[in-house]
């Protein structure tokens, strides 16, 4: 027994990060067989560590998974503000999904246990995919621990991340998971033919140098994130012509955006970003979007910046086509409105050269 402990102590800790993501164009068409462009940035991330150990242990985070409280009132207050959330359930879910996928696909997993722990600085309720970042980083650790990275295709991995979140009742689409599995700037085509035939979309990494300087706007305490349940999904399923045509236009914005980025036509990009938000607003309505979220967009537009949600709300991506002087105006307006604004540092793809080669086959 002692020897196995010393062996485990000598084994290297596996560590992976997954970064927050911004949906630049096309959202929310990813759940409607559309197209999107997203990118990851390294201002915020989730970090997961896997340490070989004698027993399989999921370590709770001291802040995000508290099990000790000062009082009953403290516990209730915590649940009122944070909900029953935390990373332990996410780590457990991806372990289960990973195990089942490998079993179903006859991928042999060697024996041996591990301890999983995580940390994250992605602000909650900002629509930056904090939950999926934890799951994505954990999946990378499992792929390396079991040495099966070459056996699970890159374009399948986002499905595993999404499946883990669906186990927990998290309603989401593939876009965020693709962005975080691939890293960098990615164009995604979720056309029905691909989704039906392949079970996933066609994902194309793009050069991050094509992006102009972008900024993130968010509220430190996002209390009003839209409380009214949206009817858009049901209307789309019911064949509502307005919703179907609007979703189609949103998807086309990502196609046009890809061309605009490749040509570095940033005035066109600004128009597409604004149009994306306007279409979302017309479909979902102000009550579902939330007054605080709308205000973030309007603060940016007040100084002539293009702006739209990074996801479903909670944070906004802004582009100042007029450069540094306009950025300064944006910073002043955000400060006055009580919002945080930061320049985004886009990260390149996190895939290895070997993995990137497999995408081209």
């Amino acid at each position: 027994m002692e020897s196995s402990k010393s062996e485990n102590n000598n084994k290297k800790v596996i560590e992976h990060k997954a970064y927050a993501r911004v949906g630049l164009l096309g959202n929310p068409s990813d759940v409607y067989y559309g197209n999107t462009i997203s990118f990851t940035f390294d201002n915020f991330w989730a970090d997961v560590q896997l340490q070989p150990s004698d027993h399989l242990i999921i370590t709770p985070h001291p802040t995000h998974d508290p099990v000790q409280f000062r009082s009953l009132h403290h516990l209730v207050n915590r649940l009122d503000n944070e909900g029953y959330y935390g990373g332990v359930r996410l780590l457990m879910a991806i372990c289960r999904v990973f195990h089942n996928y490998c079993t179903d696909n006859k991928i042999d997993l060697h024996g041996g246990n591990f301890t999983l722990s995580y940390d994250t600085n992605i602000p909650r309720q900002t629509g930056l995919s904090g939950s999926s970042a934890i799951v994505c980083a954990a999946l990378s650790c499992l792929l390396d621990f079991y040495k099966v990275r070459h056996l699970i295709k890159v374009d399948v991995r986002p499905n595993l991340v999404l499946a883990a979140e669906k186990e927990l009742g998290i309603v989401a689409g593939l876009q965020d998971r693709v962005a975080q599995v691939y890293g960098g700037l990615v164009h995604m085509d979720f056309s029905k033919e691909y989704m039906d035939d392949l079970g996933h979309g066609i994902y194309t990494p793009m050069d991050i140098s094509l992006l102009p300087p972008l900024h993130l706007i968010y509220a430190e305490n996002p209390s009003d994130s839209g409380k009214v349940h949206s009817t858009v999904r049901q209307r789309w399923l019911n064949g509502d012509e307005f919703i179907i045509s609007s979703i189609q236009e949103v998807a086309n914005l990502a196609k046009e955006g890809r061309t605009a980025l490749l040509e570095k036509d940033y005035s066109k990009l600004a128009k597409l970003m604004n149009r994306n938000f306007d279409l979302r607003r017309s479909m979902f309505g102000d009550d579902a979007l939330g007054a605080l979220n709308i205000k973030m967009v309007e603060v940016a537009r007040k100084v002539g910046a293009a702006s739209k949600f990074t996801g479903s709300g909670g944070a906004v991506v802004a582009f100042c086509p007029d450069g540094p002087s306009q950025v300064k105006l944006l910073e002043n307006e955000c400060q006055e409105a009580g919002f945080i604004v930061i320049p985004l540092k886009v990260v390149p793809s996190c895939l290895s050269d070997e993995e990137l080669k497999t995408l081209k086959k």
Side-chain angles (χ1 to χ4, degrees):
M1 192 71 175
E2 282 300 314
S3 63
S4 73
K5 278 187 180 175
S6 62
E7 277 174 31
N8 282 334
N9 289 336
N10 291 331
K11 286 180 184 174
K12 191 177 171 187
V13 175
I14 298 168
E15 182 174 10
H16 282 283
K17 277 184 177 178
Y19 296 94
R21 74 91 194 88
V22 164
L24 183 63
L25 286 170
N27 54 313
S29 76
D30 59 316
V31 291
Y32 301 96
Y33 303 117
N35 283 249
T36 62
I37 296 175
S38 296
F39 63 85
T40 49
F41 61 98
D42 74 357
N43 305 72
F44 302 119
W45 65 85
D47 177 275
V48 174
Q49 291 191 357
L50 185 154
Q51 167 80 59
S53 56
D54 294 318
H55 301 280
L56 201 158
I57 301 165
I58 308 290
T59 306
H61 191 280
T63 304
H64 306 300
D65 302 289
V67 290
Q68 181 173 322
F69 302 90
R70 294 189 301 273
S71 65
L72 184 60
H73 174 75
H74 179 215
L75 182 151
V76 172
N77 189 54
R78 162 83 191 195
L79 293 179
D80 286 344
N81 290 316
E82 304 281 337
Y84 296 91
Y85 296 112
V88 165
R89 65 185 191 136
L90 297 167
L91 298 179
M92 292 174 76
I94 189 58
C95 285
R96 179 181 182 178
V97 165
F98 173 79
H99 169 271
N100 290 349
Y101 178 85
C102 291
T103 301
D104 291 345
N105 290 275
K106 297 181 170 51
I107 297 171
D108 188 42
L109 299 178
H110 66 73
N113 286 323
F114 54 81
T115 296
L116 272 183
S117 60
Y118 79 98
D119 197 6
T120 181
N121 66 358
I122 301 175
R124 285 195 69 253
Q125 295 183 316
T126 48
L128 298 174
S129 294
S131 293
S132 57
I134 294 170
V135 179
C136 184
L139 175 60
S140 284
C141 289
L142 292 170
L143 292 173
D144 287 346
F145 178 71
Y146 288 105
K147 297 182 172 58
V148 294
R149 189 171 283 275
H150 62 297
L151 297 176
I152 300 180
K153 288 170 58 181
V154 176
D155 44 22
V156 168
R157 293 175 202 166
N159 293 50
L160 300 184
V161 177
L162 182 60
E165 293 181 272
K166 282 188 172 176
E167 290 246 329
L168 303 170
I170 296 171
V171 180
L174 275 168
Q175 173 188 213
D176 304 352
R177 291 89 205 147
V178 173
Q180 290 170 323
V181 165
Y182 281 63
L185 177 66
V186 190
H187 175 266
M188 309 166 207
D189 185 341
F190 297 103
S191 295
K192 192 171 189 303
E193 58 182 295
Y194 299 138
M195 297 301 292
D196 288 348
D197 293 348
L198 306 172
H200 56 77
I202 299 295
Y203 313 134
T204 309
M206 299 175 69
D207 189 336
I208 62 171
S209 69
L210 296 171
L211 286 170
L214 296 165
H215 285 75
L216 182 77
I217 302 169
Y218 66 100
E220 200 156 23
N221 298 300
S223 57
D224 174 25
S225 56
K227 303 293 188 291
V228 177
H229 180 70
S230 168
T231 59
V232 169
R233 180 77 183 173
Q234 193 56 51
R235 289 167 66 191
W236 181 78
L237 290 169
N238 292 345
D240 185 308
E241 288 183 16
F242 169 71
I243 295 298
I244 288 172
S245 63
S246 297
I247 288 289
Q248 184 59 56
E249 186 179 347
V250 169
N252 286 336
L253 296 177
K255 293 180 184 177
E256 292 181 59
R258 184 180 181 186
T259 303
L261 285 172
L262 291 169
E263 296 175 353
K264 298 200 172 182
D265 184 349
Y266 297 137
S267 62
K268 178 70 179 291
L269 177 67
K271 289 173 187 165
L272 296 172
M273 287 173 65
N274 282 331
R275 181 63 179 154
N276 201 149
F277 176 77
D278 294 344
L279 282 165
R280 175 186 276 274
R281 189 174 188 177
S282 69
M283 285 188 287
F284 286 80
D286 287 7
D287 288 343
L289 266 54
L292 188 73
N293 291 329
I294 293 168
K295 188 179 178 186
M296 282 190 270
V297 170
E298 290 176 340
V299 162
R301 291 189 178 183
K302 187 176 175 184
V303 300
S307 58
K308 64 175 291 296
F309 288 173
T310 58
S312 58
V316 162
V317 58
F319 169 45
C320 295
D322 297 340
S325 60
Q326 194 175 30
V327 170
K328 185 64 184 163
L329 291 174
L330 177 65
E331 289 170 345
N332 292 341
E333 287 293 334
C334 285
Q335 186 175 8
E336 194 174 311
F339 298 136
I340 299 166
V341 58
I342 56 172
L344 287 168
K345 294 180 282 185
V346 184
V347 291
S349 174
C350 55
L351 299 177
S352 68
D353 290 342
E354 286 302 309
E355 288 171 320
L356 286 168
K357 279 179 198 167
T358 67
L359 303 181
K360 291 166 186 165
K361 289 180 182 175

